[in-house]
């Protein structure tokens, strides 16, 4: 293919105002400058954090995302890692750990979600903050009927379909036609309910709050749940 999936992903989801809202939230909540970003994708937010004086370790399981980030969003105070977020044993302690853009919904089930929360707790300083968002359960109803988006991207035709396929699963199917080749990307997301999330946080003794109001942000509170969890 002429383009990597990371390049197409950037074209599909990049929204400057949303990334700036995430940046503002991290600046507002962080008590220190050492940040771990999980599921960093192409590194857009990572770069903004670096520009604003944070020292950032950023990881993603997708090597094309990390390669894109290293090529386009590199600074001396940023380190990128191609690895899972379910084993952070090679990392140190952080003032803030973040995972945004509904990336936690790629956890297959509550067991994996609990595993991530446990890893995050181990790698936060005392009083450190975990910030995250997940799909609002409303999205299950929204996608009962298949949603289809199609158009041109990087001079190639694409189609992106989203549909609820089980009680708590959303399936994404992205098809890109590049010259005489077809690129297909299938992913599933698991939707978690607030009470499920909060029970897991309580079990790890996090002091947490679901954020119900933001000042001047691009966040859609009817589409996502936003949480701040502080390590005691």
């Amino acid at each position: 293919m002429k383009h990597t999936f990371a390049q197409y992903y950037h074209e599909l989801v990049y929204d400057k105002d949303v990334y700036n809202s995430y940046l503002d939230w991290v600046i507002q909540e962080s008590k220190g400058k050492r940040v771990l970003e999980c599921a960093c994708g192409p590194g857009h937010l990572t770069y903004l954090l670096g520009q604003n004086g944070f020292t950032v370790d950023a990881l993603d399981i997708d090597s094309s995302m990390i390669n894109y980030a290293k090529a386009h969003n590199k600074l001396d105070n940023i380190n990128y890692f191609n690895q899972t977020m379910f084993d952070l044993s090679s990392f140190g302690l952080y003032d803030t750990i973040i995972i945004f853009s509904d990336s936690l919904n790629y956890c297959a089930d509550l067991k994996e979600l609990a595993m991530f929360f446990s890893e995050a707790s181990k790698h936060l300083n005392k009083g450190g903050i975990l910030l995250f968002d997940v799909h609002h359960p409303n999205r299950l109803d929204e996608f009962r009927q298949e949603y289809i988006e199609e158009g041109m991207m990087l001079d190639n035709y694409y189609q992106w379909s989203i549909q609820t396929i089980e009680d708590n699963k959303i399936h994404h199917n992205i098809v890109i036609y590049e010259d005489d080749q077809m690129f297909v990307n299938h992913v599933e997301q698991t939707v978690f309910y607030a009470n499920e999330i909060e029970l897991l946080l309580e079990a790890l003794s996090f002091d947490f709050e679901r954020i119900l109001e933001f000042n001047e942000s691009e966040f859609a509170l009817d589409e996502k749940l936003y949480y701040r969890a502080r390590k005691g």
Side-chain angles (χ1 to χ4, degrees):
M1 295 182 69
K2 294 178 181 176
H3 304 289
T4 66
F5 178 66
Q7 290 173 297
Y8 285 119
Y9 180 86
H10 163 72
E11 294 294 323
L12 278 173
V13 307
Y14 180 73
D15 185 320
K16 180 180 178 181
D17 292 334
V18 170
Y19 280 110
N20 282 331
S21 292
Y22 281 129
L23 173 65
D24 291 342
W25 190 22
V26 176
I27 291 173
Q28 175 185 332
E29 300 285 0
S30 296
K31 304 305 180 187
K33 289 291 189 177
R34 185 161 167 74
V35 173
L36 175 65
E37 181 183 8
C38 298
C40 66
H44 301 308
L45 177 59
T46 323
Y47 187 80
L48 292 174
L49 290 166
Q51 283 186 316
N52 281 269
F54 290 92
T55 298
V56 188
D57 288 340
L59 62 89
D60 201 286
I61 194 65
D62 188 321
S63 59
S64 73
M65 296 291 185
I66 292 299
N67 291 337
Y68 183 101
K70 287 180 176 179
H72 299 277
N73 291 309
K74 188 175 182 180
L75 291 171
D76 289 343
N77 51 337
I78 294 174
N79 296 298
Y80 289 108
F81 302 88
N82 178 205
Q83 75 150 72
T84 177
M85 64 186 185
F86 298 118
D87 180 5
L88 302 177
S89 57
S90 62
F91 293 86
L93 294 175
Y94 298 87
D95 303 306
T96 307
I97 297 178
I98 60 175
I99 179 165
F100 295 145
S101 301
D102 52 77
S103 295
L104 269 181
N105 292 110
Y106 291 106
C107 292
D109 49 33
L110 284 170
K111 182 178 179 180
E112 285 195 355
L113 184 62
M115 190 185 309
F116 172 75
F117 285 155
S118 176
E119 286 296 294
S121 177
K122 293 174 188 174
H123 292 274
L124 281 169
N125 288 317
K126 184 177 177 59
I129 297 290
L130 169 64
L131 300 177
F132 64 92
D133 63 20
V134 292
H135 280 313
H136 195 293
N138 290 343
R139 309 229 82 180
L140 290 168
D141 291 330
E142 179 181 353
F143 296 122
R144 298 278 176 205
Q145 182 172 343
E146 185 179 20
Y147 165 85
I148 297 177
E149 174 184 307
E150 52 190 356
M152 298 298 293
M153 177 173 57
L154 297 176
D155 296 323
N156 294 296
Y157 175 79
Y158 79 94
Q159 184 182 83
W160 181 7
S161 65
I162 310 173
Q163 188 169 23
T164 299
I165 57 170
E166 296 178 26
D167 288 344
N168 67 337
K169 300 283 187 180
I170 294 175
H171 179 76
H172 297 255
N173 186 57
I174 300 172
V175 181
I176 301 164
Y177 297 89
E178 190 177 270
D179 297 331
D180 59 347
Q181 294 183 313
M182 182 175 71
F183 172 82
V184 182
N185 181 261
H186 301 285
V187 294
E188 278 186 8
Q189 291 185 303
T190 306
V191 176
F192 302 105
Y193 290 85
N195 65 311
E196 296 175 323
I197 294 167
E198 292 170 11
L199 283 172
L200 295 179
L201 294 173
E202 285 176 358
L204 291 164
S205 300
F206 274 108
D207 178 15
F208 63 87
E209 180 182 0
R210 178 179 163 193
I211 311 300
L212 298 175
E213 184 176 354
F214 290 91
N215 293 326
E216 299 181 4
S217 83
E218 294 297 316
F219 294 150
L221 295 174
D222 59 339
E223 294 183 359
K224 295 188 182 187
L225 308 178
Y226 298 87
Y227 277 92
R228 173 208 306 118
R230 186 186 308 276
K231 180 177 178 178

